[in-house]
Amino acid sequence: MTQKPLIFITNDDGYLSNGIKLLEDILRPMGKVVVVAPSKEMSGQSHSITVGKPLKLSCIKKEDNFEEYSLEGTPVDCVKMAFDKVLNRKPDFLFAGINHGSNVSINTIYSGTMAAVMEGCSEGVASVGFSLCDDDKHGDLSFCLPFVKQIAENVIKHSLPTDVCLNVNFPVGEIKGIKVGHQAKGYWSEDFTMSEQEDGKRIFWLGGEYHCLDKSEQADWNIIHNNYAAVVPMQVDFTAYKLIKEMKERFDS
């Protein structure tokens, strides 16, 4: 690539989050950086988009090789808006995060950050999501920054295979290195905490506990708990190809 690449950044924690500011600092020396991120936290929005109401886009900063916008919408709204109206073309790379909170295992399907990554991937853009397994919005991110830089530099230099994106998760504290693995098999057991309002209506707060069913050392949950950064290559295509033959025998007519 002879000229500076066009790098797009977004997240689901909002444009003011500590994680996205640190990601901006890492990526700005690598190319022209444009940020479109939600105006407020949009965690757990998955691949939702806004329909039936307008989206408000605000320019926060515009200078040489750096632009920042906030959008009153979801992370996927941010990607769609950026590609169509802000950038006027697809970027060379998309990076999302640094997310405050784990996106390992089944958490991936709930994540607004990883939905933005998947949206970029579906558009043929080399896309990577970074997450720290710590829900504290003011938690220390310093120990994962060298690895964010290492992975970003590698992706910008070598790109990614078509239709493949990366889900990168970091443990809290010491990071021994990087391990490539797969999404762990597991599930959440929900625990809704109830309280009663003065008008007699009940309100609930979602909580729960994650249960990992995967004993493989290559499962992202287990990689994290061995103090390595977990890199999982993912794809948008959900097709269970190994079952097509069986399903055709059962249903084709």
Side-chain angles (χ1 to χ4, degrees):
M1 190 172 294
T2 56
Q3 60 182 12
K4 282 189 172 184
L6 178 57
I7 301 170
F8 174 67
I9 298 176
T10 192
N11 71 352
D12 69 2
D13 289 322
Y15 77 102
L16 291 174
S17 76
N18 185 35
I20 201 169
K21 297 304 180 186
L22 292 171
L23 185 58
E24 291 168 12
D25 291 342
I26 289 172
L27 293 173
R28 286 183 69 172
M30 301 182 193
K32 178 179 179 179
V33 169
V34 178
V35 180
V36 181
S39 58
K40 61 182 180 180
E41 183 175 349
M42 284 285 174
S43 299
Q45 293 296 307
S46 188
H47 216 102
S48 62
I49 57 174
T50 301
V51 295
K53 63 179 182 179
L55 295 168
K56 183 179 179 181
L57 180 72
S58 302
C59 181
I60 307 301
K61 186 182 296 185
K62 196 168 187 178
E63 54 192 45
D64 287 345
N65 292 317
F66 181 74
E67 297 178 20
E68 181 184 19
Y69 302 83
S70 72
L71 182 73
E72 293 181 5
T74 69
V76 174
D77 287 333
C78 291
V79 177
K80 290 181 175 294
M81 178 69 72
F83 287 16
D84 186 52
K85 297 301 181 189
V86 178
L87 303 176
N88 296 314
R89 73 171 179 89
K90 295 176 186 176
D92 299 303
F93 303 97
L94 182 156
F95 294 96
I98 303 168
N99 186 65
H100 299 270
S102 167
N103 276 325
V104 300
S105 186
I106 197 170
N107 291 345
T108 303
I109 67 172
Y110 307 119
S111 168
T113 292
M114 283 309 299
V117 171
M118 287 290 189
E119 182 68 21
C121 182
S122 72
E123 293 283 343
V125 176
S127 303
V128 182
F130 296 107
S131 302
L132 175 67
C133 296
D134 182 359
D135 291 324
D136 184 356
K137 301 301 181 185
H138 303 288
D140 182 16
L141 291 158
S142 62
F143 46 82
C144 71
L145 299 184
F147 297 96
V148 172
K149 182 179 179 182
Q150 177 184 341
I151 292 168
E153 287 178 336
N154 183 290
V155 170
I156 289 174
K157 182 177 181 179
H158 300 289
S159 194
L160 290 171
T162 303
D163 301 327
V164 172
C165 57
L166 298 182
N167 180 18
V168 182
N169 282 271
F170 299 102
V172 177
E174 177 193 10
I175 301 177
K176 296 178 181 177
I178 299 171
K179 299 286 188 184
V180 175
H182 63 262
Q183 183 177 316
K185 293 182 176 69
Y187 69 97
W188 280 90
S189 56
E190 278 68 37
D191 181 15
F192 286 92
T193 302
M194 185 192 78
S195 61
E196 192 165 315
Q197 296 179 306
E198 292 182 0
D199 58 6
K201 293 180 180 179
R202 297 181 296 170
I203 61 173
F204 295 87
W205 294 93
L206 175 62
E209 182 180 0
Y210 174 75
H211 304 273
C212 183
L213 304 176
D214 205 321
K215 304 300 182 184
S216 169
E217 292 184 358
Q218 283 73 52
D220 55 8
W221 174 268
N222 298 327
I223 290 173
I224 291 297
H225 283 78
N226 285 322
N227 291 106
Y228 286 89
V231 177
V232 177
M234 306 187 75
Q235 58 189 19
V236 177
D237 187 351
F238 295 164
T239 307
Y241 287 98
K242 63 183 180 181
L243 290 178
I244 286 180
K245 182 179 178 181
E246 178 185 338
M247 294 299 107
K248 286 175 73 68
E249 291 173 350
R250 289 174 57 181
F251 297 113
D252 273 11
S253 58

